[in-house]
Amino acid sequence: MNTVALAAGTKLPDATAREGTCYHCGEALGQSPVSQRVEQAMRGFCCTGCAAAAQWIHTANLDDYYALRSQPAGRAAAEQSDLAAWDRQDVMAPYQRAVPGGCEVVLLTDGMRCAACAWLIDRALAREPGVREVVANAVTGRIRLVWNPATSRLSAILRRLISLGYRPYLAGGREEEAARRAETRRWVLRVGLAGIATLQAMMFAEALYLDPLHQMPESTRDFFRWLTFLLATPVVFYAGFPFLAGAWRELSERRAGLDVLVSAATLLAWGASTLETLRGGAHVWFDAAVMFVFLLLAARMIELRARRVAMARVDALARAVPVLADLERADGALEAVAVSQLVEGDVVRVAAGAGVPADARLLESSASFDESLLTGESRPVAHAPGDAVLAGSVPVDRAVRVSVTASGAATQLSALLRLVQRAQEHRPRMARAADRIASWFVLGLTAVTIATYIAWRSHDASRAFEVALALLVISCPCALALAVPAALAAAHSRLSRLGILVCRPDALETLARIDTCVFDKTGTLSDGAWHVRDVQTFGQVTTAEALCIAAALERGSQHPLATAFRTHDDGREATLASQQAGFGIAARVGGRELRLGIAAFAAGRADDGALWLGDGSSALARFEMEETPRADAGPALAGLRAQGLTLHLLSGDSTDAVAHCVESLHAPFASHAARQLPQDKLARVRELQSQGHRVAMVGDGINDAPVLAGADVSIAVAGGTALAQRSADVVLLRPDLGSIAAAIDTARRTRRIIRQNLAWAVGYNLVALPLAAAGLVVPWMAALAMVLSSLTVTLNALRLARVTTA
């Protein structure tokens, strides 16, 4: 064990200083830990990088970081990273912008886990030469950095960041960042203006309300009213501009929405109050107008924040791939190139802790990869040489060499990103229905308000407008409009943390109503790791040659059986390959048309459950294959049965293989069938649907794509083919079948929350409307009640995020 002395001065809560873990990053100490004396006690560090980080933090008098933090830091890099590409203008031009006195760039980092991390980054980078401003946000994981390139290179500044355990990534282009910041500033300014004006307007209104006998001198009364007018006008027309613009759009589309109602109520209150002020009338309602705008703006800002949180998954996926890659040239030297320049076959070196820039195959020795951004799996996943590694995964224990198989838009990460964006761009059917109901409600409320105003004109003309305004405000159907979106946003956030992507807008609603679940076997209930148990050859073909031919035929195939032959691949060429779903694969090998698949397809024989190699009429070899059921399959099936689902198994494998799977899993399948072609599986699903069942199909392979598309809701398991995932409504990102039960449980809870929200929204309006119509509510009270109703719906929906699913 290496020992380095360090003076006292750091304090660390027990929650992050566990025995056997690194004092700085919290990881296991490993075989050769480094020891330092901290706070009169020896502290262990996992590597010299973390020890050096702690040394620098102490030297810089930033020891409070350890006392303030609630989460351990990221592991500090022990080796110096090559950051020269961060100084290249051709690379950085889309991501930085010129500002007075220097340049500005927005960075992302996955290591900023608490407010103390942001505190440390702010103070650490501010000490670097040339840094003019640095703002770290622990909530968004973003760092805004302004520096003077004439004084210091960006790479030198980032080297300090990396040395503390925070690896930088580039956030989107500067135009996107500028638009994001501008939008945030506008909303903060609008809410701030409305909030301050509301407080002042309420103070002046209170003075007017406390004069019920009208004993206040008219000059004083008018003075208060004109002051309130000056406060209310910018609130209504500047702070409330989003509502006015939304109302104009709705009217242009010939529909009545919430913005029409909000704008009408606000403009009526402001206009009538202005008229009363000019003519010296008895009442003004400026306070109601500004409070209405302020409370609704605050609610909209919370909604905006919720949308950004929901988009965090897209942001995380987008930043998983680095902008630059270390390309290995023919002479072994490394060259930093843009990821967009990588092509299939390129060999790339990926440093420990850096993201894999493209889909690739691992070269040389085994390594462990962090795939948490892609799958939600918190533990590193071990990969052997030849295994596929995905763009965005991170090697955790050592640098690796990989051979690119797909880059750019062709990577699985890009496909998943498109799925998430597609789901978030479309509104579910229930949300659209709620919008339609709210639109009709607005029209009905307008009619009721007019009738109430006419009735009060004949009863008490002095209160007619006030009562009508209160009715219009208190019955605003904001809670109704939020009932579905708020619940869906919370549900999607929960599912995203569980490693579950919902790719179709209505999938969550359908998932809550399913009563039947149909499973494929290979790669779904089995681990997909097939093995050749026995080989029987015919004619002059040897066992080794038969295995090599089979490997050539299966090269490039994504079928689970292909993995059983990869170790026998001797590089012989297979051309004109074609795969026939449910039968096998055919190609030209050594000048001969050969087939690998079921007996009838490959060898012209009766099916016996084995895999045959032949030319279509005669056999060259027969392979006995075997696989192992997944360890989590049994508990997952039991969990689904506990939820009341009926289970079916449809497989393209032999009768013996299917029977063995059912017996091994002890699964209570209502039915199971073997030798099912894709059209057979689809026909069975159609039959179940014709019996009134809501069917979910779970599969992973290219054979499953048709039936996935035909089921009421389809679920593609982790590691499945791209075609299966494109056909699926739900994609499991982590290899855990228990996620299916978690998804169904979340869907059912979401349905229950939506019903509760809708019931609350309807019940609130049934109570509030007659109270307001009876004149028992003044306008400012109506605005407060309306917003509290909306917050009730939102808070009820947020309970979904705290649900612990089985």
Side-chain angles (χ1 to χ4, degrees):
M1 177 182 287
N2 302 318
T3 304
V4 180
L6 178 66
T10 58
K11 299 179 181 180
L12 184 64
D14 291 340
T16 57
R18 300 188 304 274
E19 188 70 25
T21 61
C22 177
Y23 184 66
H24 181 72
C25 72
E27 293 188 11
L29 290 180
Q31 299 295 323
S32 301
V34 178
S35 177
Q36 288 186 163
R37 183 173 297 279
V38 180
E39 192 69 16
Q40 305 300 322
M42 296 302 295
R43 305 290 187 182
F45 296 87
C46 64
C47 62
T48 56
C50 286
Q55 175 75 57
W56 187 89
I57 290 172
H58 171 74
T59 304
N61 294 319
L62 298 176
D63 307 305
D64 286 344
Y65 162 69
Y66 290 108
L68 293 172
R69 70 178 183 173
S70 58
Q71 296 288 333
R75 183 170 183 169
E79 300 178 356
Q80 290 289 338
S81 302
D82 181 9
L83 301 176
W86 289 85
D87 298 322
R88 288 171 47 182
Q89 184 61 28
D90 61 325
V91 173
M92 295 300 298
Y95 301 95
Q96 67 186 35
R97 69 186 185 102
V99 296
C103 291
E104 179 187 74
V105 66
V106 175
L107 307 171
L108 297 165
T109 179
D110 291 326
M112 189 162 33
R113 299 166 181 166
C114 64
C117 292
W119 178 88
L120 176 64
I121 291 171
D122 280 344
R123 284 154 181 79
L125 296 189
R127 296 166 186 250
E128 294 298 307
V131 174
R132 302 176 62 88
E133 182 182 1
V134 56
V135 179
N137 188 320
V139 177
T140 62
R142 293 173 179 266
I143 305 169
R144 186 171 65 85
L145 177 66
V146 179
W147 85 103
N148 185 355
T151 304
S152 179
R153 291 180 176 271
L154 179 59
S155 58
I157 300 169
L158 297 185
R159 192 164 281 113
R160 171 61 61 205
L161 185 67
I162 293 174
S163 71
L164 296 176
Y166 305 101
R167 178 167 291 277
Y169 303 89
L170 283 171
R174 63 190 182 193
E175 294 84 3
E176 180 184 346
E177 289 303 317
R180 190 196 302 263
R181 287 195 302 272
E183 182 186 24
T184 301
R185 283 196 297 267
R186 284 194 298 269
W187 276 98
V188 170
L189 181 59
R190 286 189 172 111
V191 173
L193 172 64
I196 294 172
T198 297
L199 290 175
Q200 296 298 320
M202 292 302 294
M203 290 174 57
F204 297 139
E206 182 180 8
L208 297 174
Y209 288 142
L210 293 178
D211 183 35
L213 301 179
H214 305 290
Q215 297 176 342
M216 181 183 295
E218 288 188 7
S219 59
T220 304
R221 182 200 66 187
D222 291 343
F223 176 71
F224 282 141
R225 287 183 175 182
W226 282 112
L227 283 178
T228 311
F229 167 82
L230 293 175
L231 289 169
T233 301
V235 172
V236 171
F237 293 100
Y238 172 72
F241 180 77
F243 305 115
L244 299 177
W248 177 257
R249 284 193 301 271
E250 290 174 353
L251 291 174
S252 300
E253 297 169 2
R254 297 183 178 181
R255 63 185 180 90
L258 293 181
D259 285 339
V260 169
L261 187 60
V262 171
S263 299
T266 304
L267 292 175
L268 279 174
W270 178 86
S273 299
T274 302
L275 181 62
E276 290 292 283
T277 300
L278 288 171
R279 69 175 189 169
H283 302 287
V284 293
W285 303 275
F286 288 122
D287 55 323
V290 295
M291 177 179 283
F292 196 35
V293 171
F294 168 63
L295 293 176
L296 281 174
L297 276 175
R300 284 281 178 96
M301 196 165 184
I302 293 173
E303 182 185 351
L304 178 66
R305 169 70 177 165
R307 285 204 308 270
R308 288 185 176 175
V309 170
M311 287 295 291
R313 183 72 186 179
V314 177
D315 205 13
L317 288 172
R319 76 189 190 202
V321 176
V323 176
L324 302 168
D326 290 330
L327 177 65
E328 188 176 292
R329 297 201 299 257
D331 59 359
L334 297 179
E335 178 186 2
V337 300
V339 169
S340 59
Q341 298 176 358
L342 294 177
V343 297
E344 184 177 353
D346 282 346
V347 175
V348 175
R349 178 184 169 90
V350 185
V356 177
D359 286 353
R361 292 204 177 275
L362 180 63
L363 304 176
E364 300 174 347
S365 56
S366 301
S368 295
F369 290 77
D370 179 1
E371 300 177 352
S372 57
L373 275 180
L374 304 173
T375 68
E377 174 58 57
S378 59
R379 294 169 296 183
V381 179
H383 287 286
D387 284 358
V389 291
L390 300 178
S393 57
V394 179
V396 296
D397 48 3
R398 65 176 186 85
V400 298
R401 293 174 68 244
V402 298
S403 176
V404 174
T405 57
S407 62
T411 64
Q412 186 166 333
L413 175 65
S414 296
L416 291 175
L417 184 58
R418 288 192 295 270
L419 288 175
V420 177
Q421 291 172 332
R422 185 183 70 186
Q424 294 179 342
E425 287 170 357
H426 296 84
R427 291 174 61 79
R429 182 173 59 250
M430 291 186 66
R432 296 194 301 270
D435 285 346
R436 286 195 299 271
I437 294 173
S439 180
W440 284 107
F441 185 89
V442 168
L443 295 176
L445 178 61
T446 303
V448 171
T449 302
I450 294 173
T452 302
Y453 176 78
I454 294 173
W456 273 87
R457 285 287 297 179
S458 61
H459 173 66
D460 185 353
S462 64
R463 293 199 62 204
F465 182 82
E466 179 182 283
V467 171
L469 180 61
L471 176 63
L472 198 62
V473 170
I474 201 170
S475 298
C476 180
C478 294
L480 179 62
L482 284 173
V484 177
L488 291 177
H492 282 284
S493 176
R494 170 67 179 172
L495 291 172
S496 179
R497 291 197 300 272
L498 291 172
I500 302 168
L501 286 184
V502 179
C503 306
R504 182 168 61 84
D506 299 320
L508 205 61
E509 177 189 351
T510 308
L511 193 62
R513 295 186 283 117
I514 66 165
D515 56 22
T516 302
C517 197
V518 177
F519 283 87
D520 174 51
K521 181 181 73 69
T522 303
T524 304
L525 296 178
S526 65
D527 59 8
W530 284 89
H531 308 282
V532 181
R533 186 180 65 185
D534 184 53
V535 182
Q536 180 182 0
T537 61
F538 304 90
Q540 302 299 316
V541 179
T542 65
T543 298
E545 186 178 6
L547 289 169
C548 290
I549 294 173
L553 286 165
E554 291 283 14
R555 188 186 303 126
S557 172
Q558 295 190 51
H559 195 281
L561 284 172
T563 59
F565 297 99
R566 282 187 182 143
T567 56
H568 302 285
D569 193 342
D570 62 357
R572 67 181 64 194
E573 187 178 10
T575 59
L576 303 177
S578 63
Q579 184 163 321
Q580 298 190 30
F583 293 97
I585 190 168
R588 191 174 185 83
V589 181
R592 188 178 179 185
E593 295 287 345
L594 296 177
R595 298 180 178 186
L596 181 69
I598 64 173
F601 171 73
R605 300 194 179 195
D607 181 27
D608 61 354
L611 189 67
W612 287 77
L613 174 66
D615 59 8
S617 59
S618 61
L620 298 181
R622 177 181 180 274
F623 303 102
E624 287 281 354
M625 311 297 293
E626 64 179 2
E627 61 175 340
T628 305
R630 293 174 56 145
D632 61 344
L637 294 174
L640 293 172
R641 284 291 298 158
Q643 291 180 327
L645 270 66
T646 302
L647 307 180
H648 299 267
L649 176 62
L650 301 177
S651 175
D653 287 337
S654 65
T655 303
D656 291 342
V658 172
H660 174 70
C661 177
V662 173
E663 182 180 355
S664 300
L665 294 174
H666 305 289
F669 288 109
S671 69
H672 59 271
R675 288 303 182 201
Q676 296 287 292
L677 299 175
Q679 55 267 33
D680 298 328
K681 296 180 181 180
L682 183 58
R684 177 58 176 155
V685 168
R686 297 291 192 210
E687 180 185 352
L688 290 170
Q689 291 171 329
S690 68
Q691 297 171 2
H693 296 290
R694 298 282 184 175
V695 181
M697 176 67 198
V698 184
D700 81 317
I702 192 168
N703 295 352
D704 301 321
V707 69
L708 285 172
D712 291 295
V713 63
S714 52
I715 303 172
V717 300
T721 64
L723 179 57
Q725 293 189 345
R726 285 198 300 270
S727 303
D729 303 319
V730 179
V731 177
L732 306 184
L733 297 181
R734 64 173 64 168
D736 178 13
L737 290 178
S739 299
I740 300 174
I744 294 173
D745 181 68
T746 302
R748 291 177 176 177
R749 290 176 183 269
T750 303
R751 180 177 59 179
R752 188 158 58 245
I753 291 290
I754 288 174
R755 289 174 176 174
Q756 292 170 357
N757 284 350
L758 291 174
W760 167 263
V762 172
Y764 161 80
N765 280 287
L766 289 176
V767 173
L769 195 147
L771 288 176
L776 301 178
V777 181
V778 295
W780 72 266
M781 292 174 59
L784 184 60
M786 183 277 302
V787 173
L788 288 177
S789 173
S790 300
L791 288 177
T792 299
V793 166
T794 302
L795 293 175
N796 186 47
L798 290 177
R799 292 193 300 121
L800 281 167
R802 299 193 298 270
V803 169
T804 301
T805 54

